[in-house]
Amino acid sequence: MESVRGRRIVLGVSGGIAAYKSVEVCRRLVDAGAHVSTILTEDAHRFIGPVTLSALSSEPVHTSLWDDTSPIPHTRLGQNADLIVVAPATARVLAAYAMGLSHDLLIATLIATRAQVVVCPAMHTEMWEHPSVQDNVALLRSRGVIVVEPQSGRLAGGDVGTGRLADVDSILNAIDNALSGRTRDLEGLSVVVSAGGTREPIDAVRVLANRSSGKQGYAIAEQALARGAQVTLVTTVDRVTLPGITRVDVETAQQMFDAMTAQAEHADIVVMSAAVADFRPFVAAAGKIKKEGGVPEIVLEPTPDILAALGASKRKGQTLVGFAAETSNLVDNAKGKLARKNLDLIVANDVSAEGVGFSHDTNAVTILAADGSCRQVGLSSKHAIATEVLDSVVKVRSAP
Ligand code: PMT
């Protein structure tokens, strides 16, 4: 977070239950050396008190177009900002910002700025998925606004779904990206990422599967998109996919093999973060195997090794990144895969460690390069891991 030191950041907080998380965003930014001015909308007051944010911000909280001592409060904050982040951003704030309705201090500030803006939507799933909200988000994105996608999980009122404010690490990571100029460093490059776990049919209803949620692969695809790449995501998982990412849905290792080898022909960077089954049933029964027939014997056969095939056909100038999911001898096992599969980088995660690997929102990795260099990244959000992976890719590609 070196990038935020000494920078002027406006933190906009709008009226949603996730407003309490803005306190942590504010604190972490101030701790990292930023000057933080906070704007609280009228609705935000229903969820969080201005005293809390005044105590943590670098100056008293701003709440209205009319209370500020400045003669031009609607432009002062925006003009002086290096970056504006709105967390949480409600459907209403996104709509007002997209339409340029400067009815309050927050929207006026967003319109009166040339600084980079980061919005972090948070709302119920039905609202997030509504075409009006998605259209507004797409419009803002097309104007250069960085959107930190909401996550899935428990929402207010006990509902579960997509719409929860992104975790604080992801928000800080997006701010860090924007301020450190990483924003467009993959411009003009084509990136193919695989995500999720393959499912191998046993019969008409049963599959051999694994616990991959696709979160790590999606985070890499989203980061690559944010950094200007043309992104294709080959996925087994149906998660909200950012407009701008080309998604190819697959289910089995063979389908992922076909999609990845076809996509990789034109790709500059290929990242295999999917968890591919190593074995599949030799024969999948056409119908449902009946219980009455007794315990079935399922004979397995190996699946094609996609990464090894990609390594064998790697073009000059193409960067190939593999993952290694290990439970012991992390570095040695990963080094073996790096060499055997002709990779440029391998991202090794010890999936037996707490909060690491399958399904978690966090991960911890060791990134090993073919030149022998090694970088350890401690427990962080999967977005932060994605940033580190892509930083390593950029480093490898710029090496003489
Ligand atoms: O999806 P999440 O819930 O976010 O979890 C993330 C993750 C744990 C799935 C991810 O971080 C990860 O480790 N992905 C790789 C999982 C894996 O299959 O590792 P492996 O060590 O078995 O395989 C090594 C590499 O070969 C991987 O890049 C894998 O994609 C690839 N492989 C494996 C088998 C196969 N038949 N073909 C392959 O291409």
Side-chain angles (χ1 to χ4, degrees):
M1 289 294 288
E2 255 316 294
S3 64
V4 308
R5 185 173 300 284
R7 311 300 284 275
R8 298 187 80 89
I9 296 178
V10 174
L11 169 63
V13 182
S14 63
I17 186 68
Y20 75 93
K21 294 189 191 165
S22 65
V23 173
E24 181 67 3
V25 174
C26 179
R27 192 187 64 75
R28 298 263 300 268
L29 288 172
V30 170
D31 283 355
H35 179 103
V36 180
S37 314
T38 303
I39 300 175
L40 218 55
T41 66
E42 203 181 318
D43 286 344
H45 282 81
R46 296 176 184 272
F47 296 93
I48 183 168
V51 178
T52 309
L53 280 163
S54 282
L56 293 168
S57 302
S58 312
E59 53 186 81
V61 156
H62 305 266
T63 56
S64 159
L65 277 166
W66 312 110
D67 293 346
D68 207 297
T69 48
S70 161
I72 44 165
H74 65 297
T75 56
R76 187 180 64 84
L77 288 166
Q79 282 174 343
N80 293 337
D82 292 307
L83 180 139
I84 302 180
V85 54
V86 186
T90 58
R92 179 175 153 137
V93 159
L94 295 171
Y97 181 27
M99 292 177 70
L101 292 178
S102 57
H103 63 288
D104 68 6
L105 181 59
L106 176 57
I107 307 297
T109 303
L110 286 167
I111 290 168
T113 193
R114 296 210 167 93
Q116 178 70 64
V117 175
V118 177
V119 295
C120 312
M123 61 200 75
H124 271 76
T125 311
E126 295 81 353
M127 296 174 75
W128 172 243
E129 290 177 353
H130 194 277
S132 63
V133 173
Q134 287 300 315
D135 285 354
N136 288 330
V137 168
L139 184 58
L140 292 174
R141 210 190 289 277
S142 73
R143 293 175 182 158
V145 172
I146 295 169
V147 179
V148 183
E149 289 282 307
Q151 296 175 346
S152 62
R154 205 154 61 83
L155 304 167
D159 291 347
V160 175
T162 301
R164 197 165 71 160
L165 182 68
D167 60 275
V168 172
D169 281 334
S170 300
I171 295 171
L172 295 175
N173 190 42
I175 294 171
D176 184 30
N177 270 353
L179 288 175
S180 59
R182 284 195 197 100
T183 326
R184 310 294 297 176
D185 61 358
L186 297 178
E187 185 101 61
L189 296 176
S190 136
V191 177
V192 178
V193 183
S194 68
T198 58
R199 289 184 295 275
E200 310 300 330
I202 294 171
D203 65 10
V205 297
R206 301 178 180 94
V207 292
L208 261 187
N210 63 64
R211 297 181 198 279
S212 171
S213 62
K215 288 177 188 170
Q216 187 62 80
Y218 271 69
I220 293 169
E222 286 166 15
Q223 272 289 323
L225 181 74
R227 290 165 73 158
Q230 197 186 320
V231 182
T232 302
L233 181 64
V234 176
T235 175
T236 65
V237 185
D238 182 13
R239 297 173 66 86
V240 174
T241 309
L242 296 189
I245 294 180
T246 305
R247 179 169 140 177
V248 180
D249 290 315
V250 295
E251 184 166 350
T252 63
Q254 186 60 52
Q255 288 166 359
M256 186 169 276
F257 179 92
D258 294 342
M260 287 303 289
T261 48
Q263 295 294 335
E265 276 183 28
H266 316 286
D268 300 297
I269 299 161
V270 180
V271 184
M272 271 301 293
S273 44
V276 185
D278 288 320
F279 304 101
R280 64 186 168 203
F282 184 59
V283 179
K288 183 182 172 194
I289 299 174
K290 291 300 210 185
K291 204 161 57 174
E292 292 72 21
V295 178
E297 190 172 299
I298 299 168
V299 178
L300 302 178
E301 65 172 356
T303 56
D305 191 321
I306 305 168
L307 195 53
L310 295 173
S313 60
K314 187 167 66 169
R315 292 192 329 273
K316 192 168 163 26
Q318 189 176 60
T319 310
L320 184 57
V321 183
F323 268 69
E326 308 292 345
T327 51
S328 61
N329 299 330
L330 182 73
V331 171
D332 285 347
N333 287 340
K335 273 185 181 162
K337 289 175 184 172
L338 177 78
R340 273 199 310 280
K341 302 192 188 199
N342 189 27
L343 311 179
D344 298 288
L345 290 166
I346 193 151
V347 183
N349 37 199
D350 176 353
V351 294
S352 64
E354 189 64 35
V356 174
F358 293 88
S359 294
H360 300 288
D361 286 332
T362 49
N363 207 354
V365 300
T366 303
I367 305 174
L368 300 155
D371 68 3
S373 61
C374 168
R375 174 158 172 60
Q376 277 188 314
V377 189
L379 198 66
S380 331
S381 71
K382 282 184 171 163
H383 277 277
I385 299 289
T387 301
E388 295 285 348
V389 170
L390 293 178
D391 282 354
S392 297
V393 168
V394 169
K395 201 165 153 213
V396 162
R397 292 182 66 82
S398 58

